[in-house]
Amino acid sequence: MSTENTARTTTRLPAGHSARVPSVTGSAVFAGCPELIGTPFSYAREEEIYGEGEEAEFVYKVVEGAVRTHKVLSDGRRQITGFHLPGDLFGFGQGETHRQTAEALADTHVLIFRRRQIERAASGSAAVACQLWTMATNDLRHAQDLTLLLGRRSATERVASFLMEVDERLGATGTFTLPMTRRDIADYLGLTIETVSRTLSQLEEEGALLRAGGRQVSLRRARLRRVVED
Amino acid sequence: MSTENTARTTTRLPAGHSARVPSVTGSAVFAGCPELIGTPFSYAREEEIYGEGEEAEFVYKVVEGAVRTHKVLSDGRRQITGFHLPGDLFGFGQGETHRQTAEALADTHVLIFRRRQIERAASGSAAVACQLWTMATNDLRHAQDLTLLLGRRSATERVASFLMEVDERLGATGTFTLPMTRRDIADYLGLTIETVSRTLSQLEEEGALLRAGGRQVSLRRARLRRVVED
DNA sequence: CGGGTGGTTGATAATTCTCAATTGTTGTGG
DNA sequence: CCACAACAATTGAGAATTATCAACCACCCG
């Protein structure tokens, strides 16, 4: 099995972050499709990767860093639909144009693939197409969970649920540094930054978590779970 | 529940009755896959088609009527994630279990397909798999639009946007009868029935629509569009 | 007719937002 | 290493939006 290793030839690896680098492999799109090799590429913190409405030329896989995708209304209101961490693929809803904007949360390394190439691979291989179907389905599941969160949960439940989600995706250690600002969290949870901040303070006061320096949190998972209770 | 009083036992349908039904066409799953023939089936108004957590044995295509899919929290809060009208496929997120509940809004005829059969067809035909990918992507797009609606739009915008969505899916005539109750609308838009009702009254007052008998509406689309403005 | 469901409206409460001030954090140049 | 600017996060007070509780109305269907 060609466990892609060469991928991060892209110079610096800020080994500062946790010693994880989990299954960046996965490489779902490529299973049984070795001719689909991604090209390494990098984006700086806060750099736009693609914009809503632009032609969808590439599909991306996060290698290192983090990306957010969002939609905006004309008056500036923003809704983040997802955060993409190492191993995640994004930008692959097959239409001619992107329906969201993607931006790097931090300095980020990705592998890029030509959309047409992937579509060609899909139409030639049921296995590849099924993997794309599976990935789209996973995204759909996530979007529907978010829908329930936004439509029917209180601010406290949203924040608690968010913290647990991030924890799981970052290794489920219960202690981590949030890779996004309060604004990003607010725009993901359909709240304001003030409400997010107050809710975090309240959760800390209730003993559901501990904080250090704004971004670092340590979850008391049992208590948080009780807050979410579903 | 107590509403379950009318001939619910007749879920089994004399085959052939609804086999012809009009231009339901679309039939995306079947294009180039003639061996995938659905079996006609019927559900009475308010009848459950499948429940969250159940094994996903079938996939459904609406022929006549309307279906809603939703998620519920343990305390009863409900979020409807979609309404399915004639031509729509639902229940096809390929996992072993359904992640939502599906219920008939009205007396409904569907075609059912065995999930395994569809998955087999997909893994044998890139064309079929691509169609499933496309359908999942369309659902994903819808879910993300709903996410923006729930996370960042006011009650007025939600209701106006909803009316335009229903209008389009019902033929874009501007005049139609809502196929769902206020409760369903509220649970789709993340509001209460009272807020939905008040918002409709307010929109009528502003001349953005006309109403007759609760469910019938006639949209002044230009004005509604101005309310939504994006 | 009468009961039941569905829909509307009003008064009040709760949640979340907005505006404003303050504190904390981080990176930079002296 | 410190001072400082720029940005990020917190906190408070009051306002706005939406929810809740309650009453009432209008059908529809037997």
Side-chain angles (χ1 to χ4, degrees):
Chain A
M1 303 290 232
S2 58
T3 328
E4 49 90 331
N5 45 351
T6 57
R8 38 204 82 108
T9 51
T10 34
T11 52
R12 60 166 183 231
L13 235 173
H17 265 37
S18 48
R20 51 184 161 78
V21 184
S23 50
V24 178
T25 96
S27 293
V29 234
F30 326 115
C33 209
E35 79 276 17
L36 268 184
I37 301 295
T39 305
F41 211 83
S42 293
Y43 296 93
R45 190 165 161 288
E46 292 299 305
E47 188 177 353
E48 179 175 309
I49 299 173
Y50 58 77
E52 192 174 348
E54 283 179 14
E55 199 209 326
E57 191 175 358
F58 298 109
V59 168
Y60 308 78
K61 183 177 180 127
V62 182
V63 171
E64 169 93 34
V67 172
R68 61 172 179 255
T69 48
H70 73 251
K71 287 172 152 284
V72 255
L73 296 175
S74 52
D75 63 359
R77 284 175 290 175
R78 183 177 75 147
Q79 177 63 43
I80 291 178
T81 52
F83 294 107
H84 308 278
L85 301 178
D88 294 346
L89 212 74
F90 66 95
F92 70 105
Q94 31 65 291
E96 291 306 303
T97 61
H98 288 296
R99 270 161 294 279
Q100 329 206 157
T101 300
E103 293 160 345
L105 274 184
D107 293 342
T108 297
H109 298 282
V110 301
L111 293 176
I112 62 179
F113 303 85
R114 298 210 157 264
R115 199 193 91 225
R116 294 212 190 286
Q117 221 173 343
I118 285 188
E119 283 179 358
R120 188 153 36 75
S123 59
S125 157
V128 170
C130 280
Q131 287 173 54
L132 287 163
W133 176 31
T134 299
M135 288 189 292
T137 297
N138 287 338
D139 279 9
L140 178 58
R141 186 157 39 242
H142 178 268
Q144 288 174 338
D145 289 346
L146 187 56
T147 284
L148 175 62
L149 185 94
L150 294 174
R152 289 299 181 217
R153 307 204 87 134
S154 69
T156 305
E157 292 171 323
R158 292 183 205 193
V159 172
S161 163
F162 173 75
L163 291 171
M164 295 200 300
E165 184 193 343
V166 174
D167 178 42
E168 281 191 18
R169 295 184 61 190
L170 252 37
T173 62
T175 299
F176 55 94
T177 298
L178 287 162
M180 69 287 285
T181 65
R182 295 290 187 267
R183 166 128 303 286
D184 288 332
I185 298 174
D187 285 350
Y188 179 70
L189 299 179
L191 301 169
T192 60
I193 56 178
E194 294 93 333
T195 298
V196 170
S197 185
R198 275 186 254 271
T199 304
L200 285 169
S201 299
Q202 176 208 321
L203 285 171
E204 186 169 34
E205 204 165 308
E206 290 170 4
L209 58 86
L210 271 125
R211 281 187 294 176
R215 301 274 185 101
Q216 273 179 275
V217 293
S218 202
L219 312 184
R220 289 296 98 84
R221 284 180 268 178
R223 298 207 190 179
L224 277 180
R225 221 171 291 127
R226 213 173 312 137
V227 170
V228 177
E229 270 303 12
D230 79 327
Chain B
M1 296 291 187
S2 53
T3 57
E4 294 280 323
N5 50 354
T6 49
R8 203 54 9 83
T9 51
T10 57
T11 39
R12 204 156 294 277
L13 229 225
H17 165 44
S18 57
R20 58 206 74 285
V21 192
S23 56
V24 182
T25 120
S27 294
V29 233
F30 324 115
C33 210
E35 79 276 19
L36 268 185
I37 302 295
T39 303
F41 213 81
S42 293
Y43 296 93
R45 188 167 162 286
E46 293 299 305
E47 188 178 353
E48 179 175 307
I49 298 172
Y50 58 77
E52 191 175 348
E54 283 179 14
E55 197 208 328
E57 190 174 0
F58 300 109
V59 168
Y60 308 78
K61 182 174 181 129
V62 181
V63 170
E64 167 99 33
V67 172
R68 62 173 178 254
T69 46
H70 73 252
K71 287 172 152 285
V72 257
L73 296 176
S74 52
D75 63 0
R77 284 175 290 175
R78 184 177 73 148
Q79 178 63 44
I80 291 178
T81 51
F83 294 108
H84 309 277
L85 301 178
D88 294 345
L89 213 73
F90 66 93
F92 70 105
Q94 32 62 294
E96 292 305 304
T97 61
H98 288 295
R99 272 160 296 277
Q100 329 206 157
T101 300
E103 292 160 344
L105 274 183
D107 292 344
T108 296
H109 299 282
V110 300
L111 292 176
I112 62 179
F113 303 85
R114 296 211 159 263
R115 200 192 91 225
R116 293 214 190 283
Q117 220 171 346
I118 286 189
E119 282 180 358
R120 188 153 35 76
S123 58
S125 157
V128 170
C130 280
Q131 287 174 53
L132 286 163
W133 177 29
T134 300
M135 288 189 292
T137 298
N138 287 338
D139 279 9
L140 177 58
R141 188 153 40 239
H142 178 269
Q144 288 174 339
D145 289 346
L146 187 56
T147 285
L148 175 62
L149 185 96
L150 294 173
R152 288 302 181 213
R153 307 203 84 133
S154 70
T156 305
E157 292 171 323
R158 291 182 205 192
V159 172
S161 163
F162 173 75
L163 291 170
M164 297 200 298
E165 184 193 343
V166 174
D167 179 42
E168 280 190 19
R169 295 185 60 189
L170 252 36
T173 62
T175 300
F176 56 92
T177 298
L178 288 162
M180 67 287 286
T181 65
R182 294 292 186 268
R183 167 129 302 287
D184 287 332
I185 298 174
D187 285 350
Y188 180 68
L189 298 179
L191 302 169
T192 60
I193 56 179
E194 293 93 334
T195 298
V196 170
S197 185
R198 274 186 255 272
T199 304
L200 285 169
S201 299
Q202 175 207 322
L203 285 171
E204 186 170 34
E205 205 164 306
E206 290 170 4
L209 59 85
L210 271 124
R211 279 187 296 175
R215 301 273 187 105
Q216 272 177 273
V217 293
S218 202
L219 311 184
R220 291 295 95 84
R221 284 180 268 179
R223 300 207 190 177
L224 276 180
R225 221 170 290 126
R226 214 173 312 136
V227 170
V228 176
E229 271 306 8
D230 80 329

